[in-house]
Amino acid sequence: MTSKGKKLPKLEGTLGDGSTLSLSSLKGQWVVVFFYPKDNTPGCTNEAKDFRDLHARFRARHAEVIGVSRDSVRSHANFATKHELPFALVSDADEAWCQAFDVIHEKVLYGKRHLGVVRSTFLIDPDGKIHTEWRGVKVPGHAQAVLESVPTA
């Protein structure tokens, strides 16, 4: 499990185009990793679109944005195409990323308990350490708050 100030474990994930992304390959720049429960659901779509709309401003601050969920590579490819998402979506089917960031917890939906991804975002500094974390995220205004936490170049 990761926590603020600690280095991240080596993580790799498959993207919608079938390529592989290694978190360590992004060392040297700011990285925003946002975890969301499911592609093409209202809250997750709004969150992804908010990060999309601010993407150029994240890039201007030399920050890479990555979305992560347990959805399949194909689902991510369709989601990214449908909503014109300019950033990588990692398919975490084996839950390695979710476990490393401790974002799978018991949730209650319509009175039924299940394990699910708790909407969370992590800002990773250029040294590969967690700088800031947001857990139990509410979507409205969140992407803007994350952007404001990324230092200007």
Side-chain angles (χ1 to χ4, degrees), residues 89-106:
L89 296 177
V90 173
S91 174
D92 190 30
D94 66 358
E95 300 179 355
W97 289 58
C98 289
Q99 290 175 15
F101 284 88
D102 189 32
V103 298
I104 296 181
H105 294 275
E106 187 174 86

Side-chain angles (χ1 to χ4, degrees), residues 27-146:
K27 196 170 180 181
Q29 62 186 320
W30 290 92
V31 180
V32 173
V33 180
F34 74 96
F35 288 85
Y36 63 98
K38 188 123 182 81
D39 290 341
N40 289 306
T41 57
C44 298
T45 299
N46 288 338
E47 182 179 26
K49 288 166 70 176
D50 288 349
F51 278 109
R52 175 200 67 196
D53 294 346
L54 294 171
H55 189 255
R57 293 179 63 194
F58 278 103
R59 298 297 294 151
R61 293 185 182 201
H62 306 285
E64 190 70 37
V65 175
I66 302 169
V68 181
S69 81
R70 299 181 296 178
D71 290 302
S72 70
V73 170
R74 183 175 182 181
S75 177
H76 278 344
N78 292 337
F79 185 52
T81 299
K82 180 177 181 179
H83 299 290
E84 300 176 346
L85 304 179
F87 46 80
L89 296 177
V90 173
S91 174
D92 190 30
D94 66 358
E95 300 179 355
W97 289 58
C98 289
Q99 290 175 15
F101 284 88
D102 189 32
V103 298
I104 296 181
H105 294 275
E106 187 174 86
K107 297 167 82 175
V108 179
L109 182 64
Y110 304 116
K112 294 188 180 194
R113 296 182 183 281
H114 68 283
L115 287 178
V117 174
V118 175
R119 193 180 310 280
S120 305
T121 302
F122 300 84
L123 178 59
I124 302 166
D125 71 19
D127 293 326
K129 296 178 185 175
I130 293 180
H131 180 274
T132 309
E133 62 182 55
W134 296 262
R135 294 182 180 269
V137 166
K138 302 296 182 211
V139 172
H142 174 63
Q144 181 65 42
V146 175

Side-chain angles (χ1 to χ4, degrees), residues 2-24:
T2 61
S3 60
K4 188 173 177 180
K6 292 204 175 176
K7 286 206 175 214
L8 297 169
K10 293 184 181 197
L11 293 169
E12 287 188 350
T14 305
L15 306 180
D17 65 2
S19 65
T20 300
L21 173 76
S22 166
L23 193 55
S24 63

